[in-house]
Amino acid sequence: MTISPERGWHADDALLAAYVAGRTRPPVTASVEMHLLGCATCRAGIAALVDADPLRGVWDRVVDEVQSPQPGPVERVAAHVGLSGRDALLVAAAPAVRGAWLLGLLVCLLFSILAATQGAPQGSTLFLVVAPLVPVAAVAFAYGQDVDPLWETTLAAPYSPLRLVLLRSVSVVAVALPLALVAAPVLPGPPWVAGAWLLPAAACCALTLALSTWVDVGRAALGVGGVWASAVVAVAGPLGRAVQVLDAPVLPAYLILAVAASAVFWLRCDRLSLLGRTS
Amino acid sequence: MEAPETTDAELVRALSGGDLGALRALYDRHAPWLSVRLRRRCSDPDVVADALQDCFVAVWKESGRWRGEGEVAAWIWGIAVRRLISRLRAGERGAARLVVRRPVEAATPAVAAEPSAEELVLLGIEYGGLGDALDRLSPEMRAVVEATVLDGLTSKEAAQLLGIPQNTVKTRLHRAKAQLRQDLAGGVT
């Protein structure tokens, strides 16, 4: 027992040893704990009594964590909505979330909005061609040999390709849709048309995913995009009445197509794991 | 008492400059007693190690939150016990979490049956008659008093640490206070 000028008393080694071993009675434990908060000497006394090996292990982990790279903004958002760290990393590594891709998308939409507001009939045609293909492009860029820097890693990882495709598609669509929605209100026609284009968008998306179980997802997206674009242009005709592709009788057809394609994708999704290996 | 060359407060301030050596020094000073005290709150050594790791990572990242007043040790303890609670919640190891500290006279008669002079002095300084009154509480009530009064947790946090509903914490604390008050009133004269 020693006396220090500012704290008065110190716990002796026997008491500290009893505390470390969990042998002190509750009031004594509480006293020691309160005392330790303010007394560096007794804290040092404890340090001498504690097994240092486990603490070294914890320190190594602290250093690892402190020195590991900080998660980027995308990963942080993804973690915020409840994705695990691993999922967040894979989503963030999707090429589609990169700035260049978003910028391209933005410019594309901007042009079609401009054209539509100028009253040019081709404007709404352009919008109707582009807007539903935005999520298709998103899906195409979500997973694939050509666009993914992590492609080999992803292939080798014990990670469901289905989960990866869906995760990335959803994340990319979540980014792309608000942009496209901004453009919708300038469309000519009744107000519900502004949202109606989401149906063909869903159909195109599901179709791309379904086709991607046969061919490379990029080709699937190109094919679906090409068919959609020519269909819109054909319907529009010289008068530019492209809004007809969103006529009420046609809309259920998109819904049926979307459901059917999703079913095909769901049934054949195990083929995804073969992508890029055989071709 | 030999004064350490750098104070804890200076070390915490050095953290914001990215000084890993300062974190190491803080760790060497505080990790041992923190690990012992955390073990008193949770019997699983793995959970305690995880909480300790989270604690020092948090100290590193949030050193700017220290207001520069009071004991650094108390600040770090506040972080550590809350990291322990998050780890317990994440792990949902309900059954293994609580070490109810019962009197251990039978196991260690030398320490418990006859408090040494040092123990009496510590009790005298910190609590006076409160120590004995605390000792007379049931383990359940004492755990609640310790979590709220000594560890400075809110009733919600205490409920998470102890794995019991928040309302139970409040009732037990209420009863414990009444009992302590009665004990102290009767014991002083």
Side-chain angles (χ1 to χ4, degrees), chain B residues 144-158:
Chain B
V144 168
V145 171
E146 284 169 349
T148 52
V149 180
L150 301 181
D151 292 346
L153 299 177
T154 65
S155 59
K156 188 179 175 191
E157 289 167 332

Side-chain angles (χ1 to χ4, degrees), chain B residues 41-84:
Chain B
R41 304 316 190 256
C42 168
S43 56
D44 186 334
D46 293 336
V47 174
V48 168
D50 288 344
L52 199 59
Q53 175 189 353
D54 292 352
C55 168
F56 278 90
V57 171
V59 165
W60 172 259
K61 287 182 181 165
E62 292 163 25
S63 59
R65 286 195 176 186
W66 187 57
R67 286 192 294 268
E69 310 158 358
E71 288 286 346
V72 170
W75 177 67
I76 299 185
W77 166 252
I79 297 174
V81 70
R82 283 172 180 86
R83 296 291 121 186
L84 180 68

Side-chain angles (χ1 to χ4, degrees), chain A:
Chain A
M1 185 170 28
T2 52
I3 297 174
S4 82
E6 75 274 27
R7 290 294 304 183
W9 302 98
H10 289 302
D12 67 8
D13 287 346
L15 177 56
L16 288 181
Y19 169 69
V20 168
R23 288 188 281 110
T24 43
R25 283 160 57 243
V28 179
T29 305
S31 299
V32 171
E33 285 175 352
M34 290 308 283
H35 176 72
L36 282 176
L37 288 182
C39 177
T41 308
C42 289
R43 290 198 293 264
I46 297 258
L49 294 166
V50 172
D51 183 9
D53 275 346
L55 288 179
R56 263 196 289 275
V58 174
W59 169 252
D60 290 342
R61 280 154 54 194
V62 170
V63 172
D64 278 353
E65 196 170 337
V66 160
Q67 291 185 332
S68 65
Q70 297 291 307
V74 176
E75 279 164 75
R76 258 178 280 144
V77 168
H80 226 75
V81 298
L83 286 181
S84 74
R86 195 173 63 157
D87 286 347
L89 181 68
L90 281 168
V91 165
V97 197
R98 302 270 165 76
W101 186 89
L102 272 182
L103 198 67
L105 188 70
L106 205 64
V107 168
C108 196
L109 276 169
L110 216 63
F111 271 117
S112 37
I113 293 172
L114 262 181
T117 48
Q118 292 301 313
Q122 285 77 16
S124 57
T125 309
L126 188 59
F127 176 82
L128 282 171
V129 168
V130 170
L133 292 184
V134 164
V136 171
V139 170
F141 281 92
Y143 188 72
Q145 203 169 4
D146 304 325
V147 289
D148 190 350
L150 284 185
W151 173 248
E152 273 87 10
T153 319
T154 315
L155 264 191
Y159 197 88
S160 153
L162 171 69
R163 193 174 159 75
L164 182 65
V165 166
L166 290 183
L167 261 179
R168 283 189 174 176
S169 301
V170 166
S171 66
V172 169
V173 167
V175 175
L177 269 190
L179 292 180
L181 277 173
V182 169
V186 299
L187 271 184
W192 57 266
V193 169
W197 64 270
L198 288 174
L199 274 176
C204 288
C205 242
L207 216 54
T208 306
L209 281 175
L211 284 175
S212 72
T213 61
W214 276 281
V215 298
D216 177 74
V217 67
R219 281 184 215 169
L222 267 184
V224 170
V227 169
W228 172 254
S230 14
V232 174
V233 170
V235 168
L239 293 174
R241 296 192 39 80
V243 182
Q244 278 171 344
V245 294
L246 296 181
D247 275 353
V250 199
L251 290 180
Y254 294 130
L255 194 62
I256 293 167
L257 197 61
V259 171
S262 302
V264 169
F265 175 67
W266 187 255
L267 289 175
R268 290 180 49 88
C269 63
D270 53 327
R271 310 290 170 100
L272 269 178
S273 57
L274 299 175
L275 275 183
R277 282 183 182 164
T278 49
S279 62

